Structure formats: C-alpha cells, structure tokens
Amino acid sequence: MIAESFSVEKGDYLRAGEASTKMKNMLKKLGIGGSVLRRISVAAYEVEMNLVIHSFGGTLSINVDGDYIWLISEDIGPGIPNIENAMREGYSTADEVAQGMGFGAGMGIPNMKRNADIFNIESELNKGTKISMGFLLGGGNGE
Amino acid sequence: MVNKRFHSVTLDASKCKGCTNCLTRCPMEAIRVRGGRAFIMDERCVDCGECIRTCSYHAKVAMTDDLGIIENFEHRIALPAPSLYGQFYHAKSIAVIIEVLKHIGFTDVFEVAKGADIATRMLQEELKNPDRPKPLISSACPAITRMIQIKFPTLLPNIVKVKQPMEVAATMARAEYSKKHSVPKDEIGVFFITPCAAKVTAVRNPIGQEKSEVDGVISMLDIYACVFPILNKITPDENIKIATPYGVGWANSGGESRATNINKTMAVDGIENVANVLEEIENGRLRDLDYLEGAACPGGCVGGPLTYENKYVARNKVMQLVSELPCERPEETVPCRVLNSYDFKMDTPIPENCSMQLDEEVSTAIEKMERINDILESLPGYDCGSCGSPTCRSFAEDIVRGYCNITDCIFILRDRLKVMAQQMVDMSNTKRE
C-alpha cells in the first residue's frame, strides 16, 4: 500500500490544484491510466477546490490499496448544514471570489459522486466534513 | 537507457561540459549527466528542442538532412513551412521567397501553408462530429503529441486525426507534380524545410501513419544561409497562387485557431504552458472549449529552434505578409474534390508511451514508489542537479531504477565524509591500552 497526504489551506488559490497534480503524477508513475485516471483527476481536483473554497482547511490523501484507490478529504469545518442540498446539481454556496474564478456552478459534489465507484460523505456542523471516494482499479464505473 | 528510437535532437559529446543548463530545463526530465556529459533518454525525449536553446556550449544539435540530399532526385519539390516567410525581414512578398527556392536547386515549390489550408478544412469537419471528445487537441506540433503520449495519455483520444500540414502538402505536391509533368511518383523527391527538430523526427518516425510522404528534411537555418545573399536579386512570378492568409497564419501561435473560424478555441505556446493547460483539461476544467492549439515553441513555429530570425520579428513579418494577401478563406480555395480524393486522415492509432511508469506491474511499481519516497526524505531538496538528475525526486527515482547511487548526491557524500573523517580522528586518538 502506498499513501500520501497533502494539506490544503482555506482560500489558498496560489497553490490550489497542486495536490491533485501531485497525486495524478504519482498514479501515472504507478501505471494507472485510462478511465480510472480520468475519473480520479476530475474528482481530485473538485475535492481539492472544495477544500480551498468552502472549508477552514484540511487534508487530502490518496492511498492505493489492493483493488481500490481511495481519495479522502477531511476538513476542520465549518461542516455542511444540509448534505441533501449540497448533493443536488446546481446548488452552491461558493462566495464571489470563487464564482469569479469560474467555480460555484454547484456541480462539485455531484461531479465527485458521478466519477467515483464508491462515494461517502459525512459532515457535522462546526466540526468538519469527510468525503471518501473509492475507485476500482482496472475497470469500474466507465463513462 | 537504451537507444532504440530515432531522435533529431542529439548531443555533440565533444562540446558538452556536463553542466546543468539542459538538465534542469528539459520539460520532460529526459536528460541526465553522467561521467561529465549529458545523456538524452530516448524513450522520454519529445524533440522539443528546449535543450538546443538553453545549451551555452552548442552541444545540443538537431540532425537534419544536408541540402545535397536533393541531388538524389531529378525532380525535387521544396515544401517550405510557413514560418520560413518570417525569416526574411526585407522580403517584398511571399512570391519572392517561393521563387528563390527554385534558384538553389529545387525544381518546384509547394507551400506547406496550402497543406495547412487543407488541414483546416479537415479540422473543421472533425470539429462538427458530435462523437469526438472536447476539446479536440491539435495534432500539428509533433512535440506536443509526443508529450501527450508520455504525460497525458488520457487525452490521446482528443488529438485531432488529421495529418500534419507537412504530410498533407507532401501528398498533394507529389500527386500534382506527377500529373502535370507525367513523372512517376517515386522519381519525385519531396523535401520539407523545417523550423524544428520535432518535424525531422516526425518524418523518420511518423505519428498516426505508417510511412511519411517526405523524402528529406532540411533545416531552415541551412536554407537561410543559401537564400539570404541572393534574395534581393530575384524577380518573382507575381501571378503564382499563394495559400490563403489563414494557411500562412499557421506559422504563428493562434493561427490555427483563427483558421478554424470557430469561437471556443485556445492557443497556447511554449511546451511548459501547454503542459499546464493539458493539466487543466485533465482535471475536467475547460469543458466548454472546442479546440486547443498547442505549440511547443514560444510564439509557435516562428519560434522554432532551427529558425534564424528573432521570433517576434518573424511573427510580425508573417503578419505583414499575410495582410498583403487576398482575403480568402480555405473554404473558398480548397475544393471538396481535393478533400475526397486523398487520404489526409491519420490511419494508425497514437499509442501511449509508458516510459514514466516505474514498473509494468502496479504492485511492483508501488514498492518502488515506497523506496523512492524513503530515499527522497534523506535528500536535501535543493534540486541543484549536481548529482546528474534534474531534481531530488528524479534522483531518488533513478536510484531505484538502478541508474545511480545515493552518494552521487554531493550533500549526502559530504555528510558521510564528515562521519568518516570523525571516525578517523577518533581512531588516531585511540591510545594503546
């Protein structure tokens, strides 16, 4: 098993996308490609941007373990008040800065769910949010 | 590090000092310095020519054919890349540049810009196909295509399936000449005048087709040397039909996009910049983009490593020459008959190049990655290149791949020497009991 984690700061648009790029490079070195890589790329970037835009900061980690690649995002708040809303396409609470940069179309979480083979989200208000996504190596949810 | 693929970009070992200029600036991390000289890793080099630009000692060279190669054929057609037009600041028209090529040994000239006009039409058709992924990515720059094969394999399906303008032009030139002069096709030599090394490699080692239509590739610098002294003495045939301004415009970054005549296009120049945008596309951004034009050279082909003129001067010259052409579009000048009677679509797939992978087996690759990460923690992180690998990470990888030893890092070596020196002092101080 191999695991790497990256800390992602709130509002750090300078480094935004760096963690997903590093994770992608790691997967390419491991020889993981095709549909799995394509889906992880999209999901990793979405979840990283989610941390930058919505959270107070957190960590993004990846581990390649047997049949699955796990992408896990854990933040330290503020938590999602209504997960059902957040899961709906088009729903967004992104601020003006993020919207000005082309984010906040309300596709983030639905997009992650669509790309992952296993998707789980837990959130507690004022505590934090944990998103876990599993991607089946060698196949799985084709496009 | 085995030599198996042909590359135009090569090293003149007698000039190489073994410095870190090319090492740290190669966008593919394809150079290593070992034993006081550089080595190019064949499987990773994309022939972008960045090392030719950065080498202070001119030890990096592009292999091209000598002009003498045209003597092998009685019928010799020159295929000037449109970037050639930007090389002659004082040239009065494109017609002069075409004419002068007939004075240095060519029997005829077929503009690659005309190939670009045809490629534009093919491209427009492909853009209309709803089954193709978006954005489509230009296939014109072979260095970019090769980079995608190595670094962005998930984007391979997005590459346009139209042959490069050089190949389109070569096919047309040979066919037209053969018909007009009743000469068998194999007695006609077709020679591309290139601004870059990547095109030389693309002829020897074609992308998307079995065999190139081009018989030889001559450096733009060599042509410049022959042509420059006589250019002003030439009286051109002003009635010849030149390519459209859009075809000629392919010389500059942005020219291809403009030629497509669609809105949602993006032109990016410089190989690192292209890599950054490809990264964005891979992340699922830029979903509304229809077409990405990427050129490895700054400014596009006018910035090629085998050009003479300053790229900004050349770009302006191309723009000036373009502004003097009749305002026609490829849709008006390229008849459908041409598109239907030749095969300008790539006919072999563009495969992934796995040279970045640590191992064929994922499980073994994971083990290697773990070792790399362990080694990386002990390295200083200066990315100085003194060990001969471009970064600390690539050094760790090279150790695991078996190419070098940890003590090739001068900082690790120094620390170990310190320990050893201390041990020697300790030993010398030991008194006899």
Side-chain angles (χ1 to χ4, degrees), chain A residues 1-2 4 20-21 24-26 28-34 37-38 41-42 45 64 101 103 111 137, chain B residues 44 151-154 157 279-280 282-285 287 356-359 362 365-366 369-370 373 393 397:
Chain A
M1 188 192 102
I2 189 147
E4 273 195 67
S20 28
T21 297
K24 249 183 348 189
N25 287 342
M26 173 181 135
K28 287 175 187 174
K29 296 250 170 192
L30 295 179
I32 291 156
L37 178 63
R38 213 165 29 235
S41 299
V42 173
Y45 183 73
V64 185
M101 295 180 80
F103 298 102
N111 210 6
L137 267 171
Chain B
R44 281 195 198 173
K151 275 182 144 176
F152 303 97
T154 64
E279 197 87 55
E280 299 277 3
E282 206 175 38
N283 287 345
R285 292 192 70 202
R287 278 172 201 276
M356 289 290 180
Q357 280 181 28
L358 294 171
D359 203 278
V362 176
I366 290 176
M369 176 80 72
E370 283 169 344
N373 289 344
R393 177 170 278 280
E397 206 180 298

